[in-house]
Amino acid sequence: MAEAIVALSTPPGIAGLSVIRASGDGVFDIVDQCFKGKVRISEAKTHTIHYGEFHNKGKLVDFVTVAVFRKPNSYTGEDVAEISCHGGYFVADAIIETLIEHGCRLAEPGEFTKRAFLNGRMDLTQVEAVADIIHSSSEQAYQTAVRQLAGEFSKRIAEFKKKLLDSAGLLELELDFADEGFEFIDRNIILKSIDETIAFCQELANSYHSSEILRSGYFVGIAGFPNSGKSTLFNALLKRKRAIVSEIPGTTRDYLEETIYIDGFSVRLIDTAGLRATEDIIEIEGIRMVESLLAQSNLILVINDLTQGQTHSDALFFELRERYKASRSILIQNKIDLVESQPQQRDFEIFISAKNNQGLDKIQELIREELRKETQHIKDVLINQRHHLLLKRAGEELRKARESLLEGLGNELVADDLRKAVKTLGEIVGDTFSQDVLNNIFSKFCIGK
Ligand SMILES: Nc1nc2c(ncn2[C@@H]2O[C@H](COP(=O)(O)OP(=O)(O)OP(=O)(O)O)[C@@H](O)[C@H]2O)c(=O)[nH]1
Ligand SMILES: [Mg+2]
């Protein structure tokens, strides 16, 4: 028995249309109690749309259309009615309240999609793709999530699972003929499918970092001594005056963050407060404040004011480069317009004039190049932490199977390791799952999805 649930599926507020979705047993009868059209919804064919009046206790609420999807051919796999009404703050609420009065319950976040999963309409990676599509902040993230929704990831996992299961089955079958001394499967074939699956798991686990960049954006931290021109560069890259710029050192006290788009990727620029020099470079005042910002940056731009000398920020630059090894650091020599001739360029620096938009293309090209490098592993799937852990575990189980096979240990042992890996791969798509995992996934959904 699927309880009838209802929720607004479009954002609330002023809009051309609002769409209310209801799903579960008896929803067509519930809608019929409030809807007056040419046909009764409970008698309507699946995938048809009906125009009519929506009433509450005899009072007209709105003119609406009702789309009918009969189970199992609906988003949730249950009977679904989607009511389109006029947008605004009142109509949709009135319709939802009416449906609740007639027996629906308000849906929990992600409950429609949860039912779709539990009814076998999609697997877990597709459910996660739906969340990624809704939350995607860049063209590239969206494109990848759509491919994941289309089931590319699931298909590949299914292929590897099948090969491993076949191998396990053959190894077990061979046991039955052990007395006759038969060895009728080629160990090399099994080894090959193990190695291919290990490579597959490894490759995808490696794309976790790139997936995070697609999902959350590529972070560019702008750091340097006060007055070096950080905020000027921040504004220039944003192409608008966002941060206050002044000749007084210490203008930026806090940090500012804005997003720009480069090649369909979202790039998050962070302007920070100037770091002050002290005797001991490691104790640069304020570094702690900026620390967590730089720690999460994929690229760190250390800005130097050339009028103070080309090497004025060298110690700071090398210190930051050493401290944040996982990020790429580059020294930006700013205010080139104020020096007579450009000094000899070293391989870790770029010359610009943030004020005159000079050399900005070199920074944009650098970001572009880094993005290309960082995301080259991305295929049809956005690997999240859950996938990442399971892929690593499956890889370990397969390496164990590989060892057992090479050491000539018993068939049962190898088959057992193979089946463990199959189970782990199965967890990725949701063959087996725990309530915790489901709750965690659906907590990221909004109501009405
Ligand atoms: N001539 C010239 N002046 C610049 C350039 N970039 C920045 N400035 C000037 O340098 C001064 C400081 O610029 P800001 O962008 O506020 O420097 P900041 O690094 O953000 O400074 P704090 O926020 O105080 O740490 C301002 O007067 C800017 O106009 C440049 O390329 N050429
Ligand atoms: Mg500033």
Side-chain angles (χ1 to χ4, degrees):
M1 188 65 191
E3 227 183 323
I5 53 171
V6 64
L8 180 64
S9 284
T10 44
I14 306 287
L17 283 178
S18 287
V19 178
I20 294 137
R21 186 189 264 160
S23 174
D25 292 335
V27 280
F28 298 145
D29 291 326
I30 292 174
V31 172
D32 273 335
Q33 292 176 49
C34 332
F35 175 76
K36 280 199 196 116
K38 278 194 186 144
V39 279
R40 287 175 59 76
I41 296 303
S42 50
E43 286 158 14
K45 286 205 186 106
T46 186
H47 292 76
T48 53
I49 295 184
H50 307 274
Y51 176 76
E53 296 178 358
F54 194 94
H55 288 264
N56 183 2
K57 297 190 189 93
K59 218 174 97 196
L60 177 67
V61 176
D62 196 10
F63 295 93
V64 302
T65 57
V66 181
V68 174
F69 305 92
R70 292 192 174 273
K71 70 177 169 194
N73 296 315
S74 70
Y75 183 72
T76 56
E78 304 165 350
D79 283 342
V80 169
E82 280 179 10
I83 302 174
S84 302
C85 61
H86 289 103
Y89 289 99
F90 303 104
V91 188
D93 272 359
I95 291 177
I96 290 170
E97 274 170 31
T98 310
L99 292 173
I100 289 175
E101 281 166 25
H102 286 90
C104 285
R105 138 171 100 65
L106 196 62
E108 288 162 14
E111 195 170 2
F112 293 100
T113 310
K114 190 178 195 171
R115 289 183 175 198
F117 166 66
L118 294 173
N119 290 326
R121 299 289 293 167
M122 45 175 101
D123 69 28
L124 269 194
T125 66
Q126 290 171 310
V127 165
E128 289 166 319
V130 170
D132 279 332
I133 288 175
I134 294 174
H135 295 121
S136 49
S137 59
S138 69
E139 169 79 20
Q140 296 281 357
Y142 151 69
Q143 294 286 3
T144 313
V146 165
R147 288 198 292 275
Q148 185 172 328
L149 180 63
E152 293 302 324
F153 187 30
S154 320
K155 232 185 286 166
R156 286 166 73 195
I157 287 188
E159 281 164 20
F160 284 106
K161 264 169 49 189
K162 182 169 182 308
K163 272 194 200 160
L164 296 177
L165 273 180
D166 287 350
S167 300
L170 282 172
L171 285 165
E172 282 157 353
L173 189 66
E174 201 180 65
L175 276 178
D176 296 342
F177 297 91
D179 296 345
E180 281 117 276
F182 274 134
E183 198 177 82
F184 55 74
I185 43 169
D186 187 346
R187 296 289 184 271
N188 287 324
I189 291 179
I190 297 189
L191 206 56
K192 186 163 167 262
S193 75
I194 292 177
D195 285 343
E196 279 170 3
T197 320
I198 290 177
F200 165 78
C201 292
Q202 184 101 47
E203 189 193 350
L204 284 175
N206 287 346
S207 74
Y208 177 44
H209 174 69
S210 323
S211 297
E212 278 302 298
I213 289 178
L214 247 63
R215 200 178 278 117
S216 315
Y218 182 78
F219 285 79
V220 178
I222 304 175
F225 291 131
N227 235 18
S228 51
K230 299 178 293 298
S231 299
T232 308
L233 174 62
F234 179 73
N235 288 343
L237 289 171
L238 272 181
K239 297 195 175 75
R240 68 192 166 91
K241 207 176 159 303
R242 168 73 179 82
I244 299 172
V245 165
S246 86
E247 67 289 349
I248 306 161
T251 305
T252 311
R253 299 280 167 84
D254 204 344
Y255 75 94
L256 294 170
E257 188 189 318
E258 289 292 335
T259 303
I260 56 170
Y261 293 90
I262 295 186
D263 293 348
F265 292 99
S266 72
V267 175
R268 291 165 71 170
L269 297 176
I270 305 168
D271 179 23
T272 65
L275 301 165
R276 282 168 211 272
T278 65
E279 296 284 78
D280 184 356
I281 203 75
I282 300 168
E283 286 172 15
I284 300 158
E285 204 183 301
I287 199 160
R288 205 159 299 135
M289 212 167 73
V290 181
E291 197 147 53
S292 72
L293 296 171
L294 296 185
Q296 64 170 319
S297 297
N298 303 99
L299 176 68
I300 298 174
L301 305 177
V302 181
I303 319 298
N304 180 51
D305 178 348
L306 256 181
T307 62
Q308 306 282 319
Q310 186 183 10
T311 57
H312 178 62
S313 306
D314 275 13
L316 173 68
F317 170 71
F318 291 122
E319 162 65 20
L320 292 179
R321 191 170 72 170
E322 189 56 29
R323 201 179 275 226
Y324 304 107
K325 282 207 185 78
S327 328
R328 169 98 193 260
S329 296
I330 194 106
L331 187 60
I332 306 292
Q333 298 287 0
N334 189 30
K335 310 194 189 182
I336 183 84
D337 55 297
L338 294 181
V339 295
E340 304 235 306
S341 60
Q342 179 175 320
Q344 187 76 32
Q345 183 175 354
R346 299 170 293 175
D347 61 359
F348 50 82
E349 64 191 5
I350 291 177
F351 289 90
I352 66 159
S353 164
K355 197 172 181 175
N356 298 344
N357 285 324
Q358 200 184 325
L360 292 189
D361 50 338
K362 282 183 271 180
I363 297 181
Q364 282 151 344
E365 190 43 48
L366 172 74
I367 296 175
R368 215 168 254 135
E369 191 188 300
E370 287 295 305
L371 272 170
R372 262 199 300 271
K373 251 197 290 179
E374 297 266 29
T375 57
Q376 63 185 349
H377 301 296
I378 293 279
K379 294 219 161 68
D380 305 323
V381 45
L382 288 177
I383 295 296
N384 59 31
Q385 195 182 24
R386 190 183 74 85
H387 305 147
H388 184 237
L389 289 172
L390 290 170
L391 286 165
K392 279 205 325 211
R393 201 209 298 160
E396 281 156 23
E397 284 157 351
L398 287 167
R399 268 184 278 276
K400 246 179 89 190
R402 190 179 198 281
E403 261 170 47
S404 307
L405 189 73
L406 289 177
E407 284 170 19
L409 297 183
N411 283 16
E412 307 99 310
L413 274 176
V414 183
D416 197 48
D417 286 336
L418 290 179
R419 286 190 191 278
K420 271 194 199 133
V422 169
K423 185 164 176 289
T424 305
L425 288 176
E427 270 183 60
I428 295 175
V429 288
D431 292 347
T432 54
F433 55 86
S434 68
Q435 276 310 319
D436 280 355
V437 168
L438 280 200
N439 292 344
N440 188 22
I441 290 174
F442 288 103
S443 66
K444 297 184 188 92
F445 275 76
C446 36
I447 289 185
K449 190 68 218 178

